[in-house]
Amino acid sequence: MGAVTADLISRARAGDGDAFRELTEPHRRELQVHCYRMLGSFQDAEDALQDALLAAWQGFGGFQGRSSIRTWLYRIATNRCLNVRRSASRRPAKEWDVPGVEPPEPTRVGEVVWLQPFPDALLDGAIHVPLGPEARVEQSESISLAFVTALQVLPPRQVAVLVLRDVLGFHAAEVADMLDSTLESVNSALKRARAGLRRRLPAPDREPPPASGSPAEDAVVARFVSAYESADLDALVAMLTDDVFMSMPPMPLEYEGRDVVARFCTGIFGAGRRFDLVPTRANGQPAFGAYLRTPTGIRHGTGLVVVTLSGDRICAMTRFDNSALSWFGLPRSLPSR
């Protein structure tokens, strides 16, 4: 521990809020992403992070320096998230609310209705943190919607162990200490979590997406925007994989397969509904604010669409409601052109 850090710690122990902020601020972004992985909800993650930092401030006198500040903060944040996961008050499902559009019968009803997107703008300094030697999951995969959704259906303790071990690379002994558990219990939970995750994630032989921001990704995005904005159903459907998956939290409707997703899109574009898309990024993936054109020329934000790519095709589309737009710096409506 450096002399500067030691001085900050002694000042923070004495109640110096500025010293405490200086110690914790470098870890804030990565802790927010950690809470998001565990909870799947941008708002819940922000609340859990605030609770964790408050608990850390109030309990700083008890910081013994046996672990690093970072490890100590992860312990507090993880346990705060476990409390949220165990409480029953997650965001409830919403009824279908698109006027004049009758959705097709869903393939199934989704469980993770509280899922929310995470803005890429907040990933800077959070994804490329130095990982421990045990990390196994690619950092880009570890923030993807598919991975975060899969975590949500695992038991809370298994999620904590898997994220701390395989995503962040903490040693098993460190994780056992964070969770007030034993080495055997941590290793057992990790084994079960890995098996549960494998069952939930897409097949590993699926073609990977093009690199983020690459010309290949730009080309797919341009084709998607062109097809969507012109309501060219044939062009849009041609971009979908056979097993394309569509969900729309907090509505629990889920659709799997090109035919039923095509029927869904037919309903959305029916009755002359036309949209403008504003590009952004969520969870390391291309995303778009969707704005419905109106006769007055004003365009109303109806939601945020995140697409998952496999090669030059779309293998998943996730539509979130318009409450997500503000987290991406997108307005609720666009003026007439």
Side-chain angles (χ1 to χ4, degrees):
M1 189 189 298
V4 173
T5 305
D7 176 56
L8 286 171
I9 287 172
S10 63
R11 279 166 46 205
R13 278 211 189 101
D16 184 333
D18 289 338
F20 174 78
R21 271 189 294 279
E22 206 170 323
L23 286 167
T24 56
E25 193 58 36
H27 310 296
R28 186 189 179 91
R29 278 280 166 85
E30 60 170 306
L31 288 168
Q32 184 183 16
V33 174
H34 176 60
C35 293
Y36 173 72
R37 285 190 186 107
M38 289 209 46
L39 300 175
S41 156
F42 182 72
Q43 288 170 310
D44 287 353
E46 188 54 40
D47 291 345
L49 175 63
Q50 298 303 338
D51 282 353
L53 290 172
L54 181 61
W57 167 238
Q58 291 171 338
F60 199 77
F63 175 66
Q64 303 293 326
R66 284 197 300 266
S67 65
S68 66
I69 290 277
R70 178 176 180 261
T71 300
W72 183 71
L73 290 171
Y74 266 104
R75 177 194 178 110
I76 295 170
T78 300
N79 284 292
R80 278 288 177 281
C81 290
L82 285 174
N83 291 344
V84 176
R85 286 283 302 248
R86 289 176 188 132
S87 74
S89 58
R90 303 307 301 270
R91 195 164 66 135
K94 248 174 84 171
E95 295 289 313
W96 177 258
D97 62 355
V98 183
V101 178
E102 189 60 43
E105 191 65 27
T107 309
R108 60 176 172 270
V109 174
E111 300 168 74
V112 190
V113 294
W114 59 85
L115 186 73
Q116 292 177 332
F118 195 95
D120 274 26
L122 299 182
L123 291 175
D124 288 347
I127 282 288
H128 302 295
V129 294
L131 299 175
E134 316 272 321
R136 290 168 37 131
V137 178
E138 286 284 329
Q139 285 293 283
S140 56
E141 186 199 346
S142 74
I143 195 66
S144 71
L145 280 178
F147 186 82
V148 172
T149 305
L151 290 178
Q152 301 310 302
V153 292
L154 295 177
R157 220 178 144 67
Q158 289 184 25
V159 176
V161 171
L162 185 122
V163 171
L164 291 169
R165 296 278 286 118
D166 283 359
V167 175
L168 295 162
F170 284 108
H171 290 296
E174 291 176 292
V175 176
D177 184 55
M178 285 184 200
L179 300 177
D180 292 322
S181 185
T182 64
L183 214 49
E184 293 74 25
S185 173
V186 163
N187 288 334
S188 169
L190 182 60
K191 199 171 167 183
R192 291 198 303 278
R194 284 172 178 167
L197 199 64
R198 273 197 301 274
R199 285 195 296 274
R200 291 278 175 172
L201 285 176
D205 56 358
R206 176 178 274 170
E207 196 179 342
S212 171
S214 65
E217 187 191 70
D218 291 346
V220 183
V221 164
R223 278 170 55 213
F224 174 75
V225 169
S226 170
Y228 203 98
E229 290 191 334
S230 59
D232 184 342
L233 208 63
D234 290 342
L236 186 60
V237 171
M239 294 187 70
L240 307 178
T241 59
D242 293 342
D243 61 350
V244 65
F245 175 71
M246 184 169 194
S247 59
M248 50 202 78
M251 289 185 264
L253 310 181
E254 293 185 350
Y255 298 95
E256 188 165 8
R258 189 189 284 144
D259 291 346
V260 69
V261 170
R263 283 207 306 281
F264 180 88
C265 292
T266 301
I268 290 296
F269 292 132
R273 290 164 62 88
R274 295 294 177 267
F275 297 86
D276 289 320
L277 298 183
V278 177
T280 182
R281 294 192 73 84
N283 297 75
Q285 301 169 219
F288 310 88
Y291 290 84
L292 180 66
R293 300 174 197 162
T294 67
T296 64
I298 292 173
R299 293 154 290 160
H300 295 300
T302 59
L304 186 95
V305 178
V306 185
V307 297
T308 306
L309 303 181
S310 172
D312 61 357
R313 313 273 289 286
I314 291 168
C315 61
M317 283 196 285
T318 312
R319 176 199 177 272
F320 297 96
D321 63 22
N322 60 6
S323 63
L325 294 173
S326 61
W327 311 332
F328 293 81
L330 296 172
R332 279 297 181 102
S333 60
L334 296 173
S336 53
R337 284 187 285 209

